[in-house]
Amino acid sequence: MQLNDKKAIFGWNMYDWANSSFATTIMAGFFPVFFKDFWNAGVDPTVSTARLGVANSLAGVLVALLAPVLGAIADRGTAKKKFLLFFAYLGILMSFSLFFVAQGRWFLAVVLYLFGSIGFSGSLVFYDSLLPAIVTEDKMDVVSGLGYGYGYLGGGLLFALNVWMSLKPATFGLIDAAQAVRFSFLSVAVWWAVFSIPLMVFVKEPKLAETVSKMTMVKDGLFQIQRTFREIRHLKMIFLFLAAYWMYIDGVDTVIRMAVDYGMSLGFKPSDLILALLLTQFIGFPAAIGFGYLGKKIGAKRGIFIAIAVYLFISIWAAFMTGKNEFYALAVVIGCVQGGIQSLSRSFYARIIPADKAAEYFGFYNMLGKFATVIGPVLMGGVGLLVRSMGFSSNIASRVSLSSLSLLFLIGGLLFYFVDEQKAAADMRYLAGNSLSSK
């Protein structure tokens, strides 16, 4: 496929538009609210927060274990789009099924959410790995930023519709807000399925010189994982970046997944929290695109440092906020950097990995990202329960638990400081020369 093809770039970006419906309406928006008020009705808020944290962490572990293996297998054949479609429709089916979960059935809701998160995250392994196949290196920051921009706009538009449904259910012929939320889960399934079509049509996966059987593809992929682990000592910059990414993206993902739950624990109204999320979405649209151009101008590394510094400030500021106006202000600041740190991290990583192993290496990238979500939610839940057990109120416990995220941004920023792109390029030259000499 010709690089920088406009239709391919559009199709690739539209998948971010499609799957972001799960991230906004379910993951960040209605699931935490519904989980606490509907599926955990009458349960202590600290307990429901811990349950949600465990659900997010289990999803992270399962995706983390699967991602590098699936990525390596996909690199041995032309299977990236097939794997992407499989995981996408797993997430779509789980989103659809949430509609049928009755009140108080929190465990069933967790199971469906768990597999929905696996579908969402698993598809991103293969979606990210297609970036080097559609654009040249000089356009990666901009196109990656466009992808996140499309995601914020598409996810935000559906989320706005769903919020309207929940606030004015009678307008849509619905009985109450609870029924509106359940229909919102159905809308995610439809949105995700329909807007995945452009990627399937316009993005053409590069063909290998040799065709291999499915069994050979699986066997070679598993062997490739072993070889890559042996190469770790020669790819210091890549793995130093992954360690840094592991830390700072943990804080980012935890903020995304737990922000609404945190606000509810402080006593804010669900409607105020949902509107703040909408604000983040629509600010995130131009901000993510802007960060792509910023990365092109000053370098992706500097752009990522700016975002890490802002998140460090956020994690401290949020622990002391008292009113909903502060929560709205916090939403604005998050919207300015959330998409930027995600898009520049993706394009930075795509630039320092071998292009012929993109799916495998993005498997490791997503593996560490998902293992990071094991630490963050459990850290918040665990610290909250510990402080609560010491006799402090739920309000204070929630504030202390959030402030602990600052450590992740500090450690991540420190590790990222030592990542050198030129040394990473030298690692790649060493790897290429070593591969040639071994043939």
Side-chain angles (χ1 to χ4, degrees):
M1 182 178 68
Q2 182 182 358
L3 294 177
N4 302 328
D5 178 76
K6 290 183 179 179
K7 286 185 178 180
I9 292 172
F10 170 75
W12 187 81
N13 285 331
M14 284 304 294
Y15 185 71
D16 226 323
W17 175 290
N19 72 47
S20 291
S21 60
F22 181 86
T24 53
T25 291
I26 294 182
M27 189 181 292
F30 286 134
F31 186 86
V33 174
F34 221 52
F35 190 74
K36 190 176 287 287
D37 286 350
F38 188 76
W39 290 317
N40 276 280
V43 176
D44 186 286
T46 308
V47 174
S48 63
T49 295
R51 287 174 176 175
L52 182 61
V54 169
N56 282 319
S57 296
L58 284 174
V61 169
L62 291 174
V63 172
L65 294 175
L66 286 171
V69 177
L70 293 175
I73 292 170
D75 276 332
R76 302 307 301 164
T78 54
K80 294 184 183 70
K81 284 173 60 178
K82 292 179 181 177
F83 277 116
L84 190 158
L85 186 62
F86 169 80
F87 281 102
Y89 278 89
L90 173 64
I92 290 165
L93 178 61
M94 296 301 104
S95 301
F96 180 84
S97 300
L98 282 171
F99 172 82
F100 301 99
V101 181
Q103 185 173 11
R105 301 290 300 277
W106 70 267
F107 185 75
L108 179 58
V110 162
V111 171
L112 295 177
Y113 178 73
L114 174 70
F115 282 98
S117 298
I118 290 171
F120 171 76
S121 301
S123 70
L124 290 179
V125 174
F126 306 101
Y127 169 68
D128 290 343
S129 70
L130 288 169
L131 178 61
I134 63 170
V135 295
T136 51
E137 184 176 318
D138 62 308
K139 294 184 181 297
M140 283 184 180
D141 291 334
V142 173
V143 173
S144 182
L146 279 172
Y148 275 103
Y150 272 55
Y152 278 108
L153 182 58
L157 287 173
L158 181 63
F159 191 35
L161 174 62
N162 291 332
V163 169
W164 185 17
M165 288 168 56
S166 68
L167 295 177
K168 303 288 184 180
T171 304
F172 297 87
L174 302 172
I175 298 172
D176 54 20
Q179 189 180 52
V181 171
R182 295 172 74 181
F183 271 97
S184 294
F185 297 147
L186 294 182
S187 73
V188 169
V190 174
W191 185 278
W192 193 349
V194 170
F195 290 111
S196 295
I197 294 172
L199 181 140
M200 301 305 160
V201 174
F202 296 127
V203 177
K204 309 299 181 185
E205 192 170 348
K207 302 293 183 182
L208 294 179
E210 298 180 33
T211 58
V212 295
S213 68
K214 291 181 180 179
M215 286 302 299
T216 301
M217 185 172 65
V218 172
K219 184 176 69 174
D220 288 351
L222 293 174
F223 278 126
Q224 181 60 50
I225 288 290
Q226 297 176 18
R227 287 193 293 269
T228 300
F229 273 117
R230 289 199 296 267
E231 290 168 353
I232 287 178
R233 63 191 180 93
H234 301 302
L235 303 172
K236 295 177 182 177
M237 289 299 105
I238 289 178
F239 286 95
L240 183 59
F241 169 77
L242 288 174
Y245 176 77
W246 185 1
M247 291 293 105
Y248 71 71
I249 209 64
D250 169 79
V252 174
D253 286 347
T254 303
V255 169
I256 293 171
R257 292 173 184 244
M258 305 295 283
V260 169
D261 183 275
Y262 173 69
M264 291 181 69
S265 296
L266 297 185
F268 297 155
K269 294 180 180 178
S271 59
D272 291 331
L273 303 176
I274 296 300
L275 289 174
L277 276 178
L278 271 176
L279 189 60
T280 298
Q281 286 299 120
F282 288 108
I283 291 174
F285 166 56
I289 296 173
F291 252 90
Y293 286 99
L294 178 68
K296 186 176 181 180
K297 186 172 183 178
I298 69 172
K301 186 172 183 178
R302 289 179 180 175
I304 292 170
F305 265 125
I306 291 172
I308 290 174
V310 172
Y311 265 107
L312 179 61
F313 169 73
I314 286 169
S315 64
I316 297 172
W317 172 28
F320 295 96
M321 67 180 181
T322 56
K324 69 177 182 180
N325 288 336
E326 284 186 273
F327 199 87
Y328 287 139
L330 188 71
V332 170
V333 177
I334 291 174
C336 288
V337 294
Q338 182 173 286
I341 196 170
Q342 293 168 322
S343 67
L344 289 183
S345 296
R346 178 168 63 189
S347 60
F348 183 91
Y349 185 66
R351 198 177 281 115
I352 65 174
I353 62 174
D356 61 336
K357 298 180 181 179
E360 178 192 341
Y361 275 78
F362 268 108
F364 281 100
Y365 176 83
N366 282 279
M367 175 186 75
L368 292 180
K370 299 315 165 189
F371 266 133
T373 61
V374 175
I375 300 172
V378 168
L379 178 65
M380 277 192 67
V383 169
L385 288 173
L386 177 63
V387 174
R388 192 79 172 90
S389 69
M390 295 168 65
F392 292 97
S393 68
S394 296
N395 186 291
I396 293 176
S398 296
R399 293 177 185 277
V400 174
S401 69
L402 184 68
S403 65
S404 65
L405 295 180
S406 61
L407 292 175
L408 302 174
F409 294 114
L410 284 170
I411 297 170
L414 180 62
L415 291 173
F416 188 58
Y417 175 79
F418 294 102
V419 178
D420 189 311
E421 286 184 80
Q422 293 183 343
K423 289 182 179 180
D427 286 347
M428 290 301 97
R429 288 194 295 271
Y430 173 88
L431 180 61
N434 189 57
S435 298
L436 288 172
S437 63
S438 64
K439 290 182 179 179

